[in-house]
Amino acid sequence: MKLAIDHLVIAAADLDSGTRYVAERLGISPAGGGAHPRMGTHNRVLGMAEGIYLEVIAIDPRAEPPARPRWFGLDQDAVRARLAQGPYLAHWAARVEAPLDLSRMQAEHPDRLAPAIAMTRGALRWRLTVPDDGSLPAWREAGVAAGDGLLPTLIQWDVPDYPGVSLPRQDLALLRLSGSHPQAGLLRQGLAWMGADHLIELEQADGPPRLSAQIATAQGLRTLS
């Protein structure tokens, strides 16, 4: 597989706080977006250079609780505790493009890839990998697992005008996606298997896992973390 960065995920307790977080750091506010009825969430989006975009996502207080756990760990106690401290860069998604087919890939490697579920938002249609318990994806070897937002969710768009194409491209460019993790070596194995090891730089470090994105803006270099 050869993948591309599709988008960055800013998790927030609510969309307004997430929007302020991005605007204060990048000088531009995410806007638009919409609801994800299947997950009980909603988002705002911001286009960047090279077909990458940024998403602010939060639980939608007006939505019915979903029949399954929400994605990106939003129902988990650890994530909710982190969100109580403020919005943060929680995750990223890597895009699968034809002739590869995400559903077929997942069916062939169910021990490596989470189920590929179908999603919609307005006219948008896509598939992405989401564990049944809603957790962030993880790579497992010999009884050890590592993920914590550093291993990407895989996404495949089923419409030509997906956000990376259709969103206005602001004066923002992702220069570097990086992170640290106590199990960085294990994560590198997973990233290499996916064909995503060229998309993120990882270093071995004790302490909480960390994900950060360096972005060039009109005001200079800024970091989301």
Side-chain angles (χ1 to χ4, degrees):
M1 291 183 283
K2 279 296 181 183
L3 307 179
I5 296 176
D6 188 73
H7 66 279
L8 307 178
V9 180
I10 301 291
D14 58 82
L15 288 186
D16 287 343
S17 64
T19 298
R20 286 194 301 271
Y21 170 87
V22 174
E24 289 169 358
R25 285 157 181 79
L26 304 185
I28 304 174
S29 295
H36 312 111
R38 184 171 182 177
M39 289 292 173
T41 59
H42 56 175
N43 70 355
R44 290 177 186 160
V45 291
L46 179 62
M48 301 193 296
E50 298 183 5
I52 298 171
Y53 73 99
L54 182 149
E55 169 188 45
V56 173
I57 194 163
I59 291 175
D60 186 349
R62 298 166 297 181
E64 291 291 328
R68 54 156 296 145
R70 295 179 180 91
W71 48 12
F72 306 141
L74 291 174
D75 288 324
Q76 297 179 344
D77 291 342
V79 173
R80 293 195 174 192
R82 178 66 180 82
L83 288 174
Q85 302 174 33
Y88 67 106
L89 178 61
H91 194 36
W92 62 294
R95 187 170 62 253
V96 174
E97 297 180 325
L100 295 174
D101 182 87
L102 179 57
S103 299
R104 184 178 300 115
M105 288 160 48
Q106 195 280 328
E108 292 173 351
H109 303 283
D111 57 332
R112 292 302 193 191
L113 299 176
I117 65 172
M119 292 292 301
T120 63
R121 177 171 67 77
L124 294 174
R125 293 182 292 109
W126 70 97
R127 289 163 286 150
L128 80 169
T129 52
V130 183
D132 290 334
D133 63 359
S135 61
L136 292 166
W139 189 258
R140 293 173 172 82
E141 289 285 357
V144 180
D148 302 290
L150 298 173
L151 193 74
T153 287
L154 301 187
I155 184 169
Q156 186 159 42
W157 293 95
D158 294 319
V159 293
D161 293 330
Y162 59 89
V165 172
S166 62
L167 285 173
R169 295 190 179 184
Q170 306 295 339
D171 188 14
L172 302 169
L174 176 63
L175 300 183
R176 181 173 181 254
L177 185 65
S178 63
S180 62
H181 195 281
Q183 296 287 342
L186 179 58
L187 283 171
R188 291 192 192 101
Q189 291 180 33
L191 289 163
W193 183 87
M194 290 180 173
D197 49 333
H198 63 296
L199 301 177
I200 182 171
E201 300 175 21
L202 288 182
E203 64 177 16
Q204 179 80 24
D206 294 331
R210 178 188 60 82
L211 178 65
S212 67
Q214 291 185 340
I215 298 175
T217 78
Q219 294 79 36
L221 187 64
R222 299 290 184 267
T223 299
L224 298 176
S225 61

